[in-house]
Amino acid sequence: NAGVTQTPKFQVLKTGQSMTLQCAQDMNHNSMYWYRQDPGMGLRLIYYSASEGTTDKGEVPNGYNVSRLNKREFSLRLESAAPSQTSVYFCATSFRVTEAFFGQGTRLTVV
Amino acid sequence: AQSVTQPDIHITVSEGASLELRCNYSYGATPYLFWYVQSPGQGLQLLLKYFSGDTLVQGIKGFEAEFKRSQSSFNLRKPSVHWSDAAEYFCAVGGTLDDKIIFGKGTRLHILP
């Protein structure tokens, strides 16, 4: 079992470019999350999905969109990347908020 | 809105000394509380969690935390730290209001030899 798999692991974008971060889980969890981690800011919730077909904004949703494609997959899209979106992005899943299981992260640099 | 405050950005302790990391939360119902640890360049690992029952929770690596509802706190403790405990520690809160899990800004622990 892979748990939570994120792709890619590293990415460099130019300002204005778009990209999609992929997340897939094989834990059969209903809830999925996208966080960004920045030095001194901890993990901030971007979007979350309580179940297939639903998504909700978190603490810092501006500049991002998400898609809950099915129970397994939850993608994060940057339509027009900005340097302020340089960060480490983590996908996580949970069963009824009992514990968050994290992917290994995607290190994104926007130049 | 739910929130987590970790008042100490950095803490330095000597190896073998005791440790307490502070966490205060705000949540509109009974909270689920978590402590995670992240070693440099690594992912996040769950140390312990609290849902209900005994307010003193034991975790991995010799850590424990105590839930105090009256103080809205969930402080992490360890009686004797090891050099390998140097890492960043995150407190988080979730619960039955919605499906969000919100993290604090973290406390970076430094260990003096």
Side-chain angles (χ1 to χ4, degrees):
Chain A
N1 289 342
V4 182
T5 303
Q6 291 182 234
T7 55
K9 289 185 170 50
F10 301 93
Q11 184 71 50
V12 179
L13 288 179
K14 293 182 179 178
T15 298
Q17 286 186 319
S18 62
M19 80 161 294
T20 300
L21 281 65
Q22 306 285 355
C23 177
Q25 54 113 350
D26 61 5
M27 307 184 77
N28 201 33
H29 288 166
N30 285 326
S31 301
M32 298 187 73
Y33 311 84
W34 277 106
Y35 293 92
R36 59 178 290 175
Q37 183 177 22
D38 304 288
M41 300 301 293
L43 285 91
R44 292 180 291 172
L45 182 64
I46 305 171
Y47 271 92
Y48 68 106
S49 171
S51 62
E52 183 180 350
T54 69
T55 60
D56 286 285
K57 294 179 180 179
E59 301 167 284
V60 288
N62 291 348
Y64 304 95
N65 286 300
V66 291
S67 296
R68 182 74 183 266
L69 304 170
N70 47 55
K71 190 172 186 178
R72 291 187 64 250
E73 297 171 293
F74 189 38
S75 62
L76 178 71
R77 183 159 178 85
L78 288 70
E79 291 291 352
S80 179
S84 60
Q85 295 178 304
T86 293
S87 188
V88 180
Y89 290 85
F90 285 99
C91 177
T93 72
S94 80
F95 174 70
R96 295 183 183 174
V97 202
T98 53
E99 178 182 344
F101 293 84
F102 287 87
Q104 286 303 300
T106 296
R107 187 172 295 276
L108 175 67
T109 302
V110 182
V111 298
Chain B
Q2 64 208 79
S3 65
V4 175
T5 302
Q6 295 181 245
D8 303 305
I9 298 173
H10 293 272
I11 282 187
T12 301
V13 298
S14 298
E15 190 168 17
S18 64
L19 171 71
E20 183 169 31
L21 301 182
R22 296 183 292 165
C23 172
N24 292 96
Y25 69 90
S26 174
Y27 194 74
T30 300
Y32 298 168
L33 295 159
F34 311 88
W35 274 101
Y36 283 82
V37 61
Q38 185 180 39
S39 298
Q42 301 297 310
L44 290 105
Q45 181 181 22
L46 181 72
L47 286 175
L48 48 78
K49 56 188 176 183
Y50 171 80
F51 297 147
S52 64
D54 192 348
T55 56
L56 187 62
V57 181
Q58 302 298 319
I60 62 170
K61 303 185 180 186
F63 286 92
E64 66 178 26
E66 186 172 12
F67 170 58
K68 293 185 177 180
R69 184 185 300 275
S70 62
Q71 299 177 20
S72 297
S73 69
F74 188 57
N75 294 348
L76 182 70
R77 301 194 295 247
K78 186 169 186 178
S80 176
V81 298
H82 186 263
W83 64 266
S84 60
D85 294 324
E88 192 157 22
Y89 292 79
F90 295 96
C91 183
V93 66
T96 55
L97 287 179
D98 53 33
D99 284 278
K100 292 190 289 189
I101 301 176
I102 299 297
F103 284 76
K105 293 185 177 180
T107 298
R108 185 166 294 279
L109 175 64
H110 306 270
I111 308 294
L112 295 175

